[in-house]
Amino acid sequence: MATKKPAAKSTKAPASRKAEPAAKADAAKRTPNAAFMKPVTPSAVLAAVIGASPMPRTEVTKKIWDYIKQNNLQDKNNRRMINADDKLKPVFGGKAQVSMFEMTKLVSAQLK
């Protein structure tokens, strides 16, 4: 039978971890993208759902999802699908149901 040899001990000292310089940590902070924060004006059709005042795209998306959740418009079986009610049907181009990915494309067409 073969016998196991004892593992050779390493003579190297463990590498010490140095703290990152403060300048690098400051550079890593995330700044908001100005394109998302620029106010956009919704069309009259979309304004019936979220309001007519200019707002950033992020706020538009948030208000649409608030409306969808408040009115239980997500499909029960496939949560990725949004069922249109009377207010959302014109926004969705007359479609009764759209996917959440298609919804963002249709809503962005309603913004100026």
Side-chain angles (χ1 to χ4, degrees):
M1 280 186 116
T3 59
K4 288 188 178 180
K5 293 183 182 178
K9 291 187 178 181
S10 176
T11 57
K12 292 183 182 178
S16 63
R17 294 185 183 217
K18 295 181 182 178
E20 291 185 18
K24 188 173 182 181
D26 290 339
K29 286 186 181 176
R30 191 171 181 172
T31 58
N33 188 342
F36 285 122
M37 302 315 287
K38 180 181 173 188
V40 292
T41 306
S43 67
V45 178
L46 185 58
V49 178
I50 64 170
S53 62
M55 62 187 82
R57 288 180 184 271
T58 54
E59 192 67 26
V60 170
T61 304
K62 182 179 176 186
K63 287 192 178 222
I64 289 173
W65 274 107
D66 288 344
Y67 180 81
I68 290 169
K69 289 178 182 177
Q70 180 182 7
N71 294 304
N72 295 323
L73 297 177
Q74 273 186 293
D75 190 62
K76 302 287 184 231
N77 298 326
N78 186 356
R79 305 285 289 169
R80 290 179 291 180
M81 300 302 287
I82 309 300
N83 299 320
D85 63 353
D86 293 335
K87 284 186 177 182
L88 280 180
K89 203 170 239 187
V91 175
F92 293 166
K95 294 182 180 181
Q97 189 179 49
V98 297
S99 72
M100 54 175 71
F101 304 109
E102 186 180 3
M103 179 189 72
T104 57
K105 179 177 131 183
L106 295 170
V107 168
S108 67
Q110 301 288 334
L111 300 172
K112 296 177 188 173

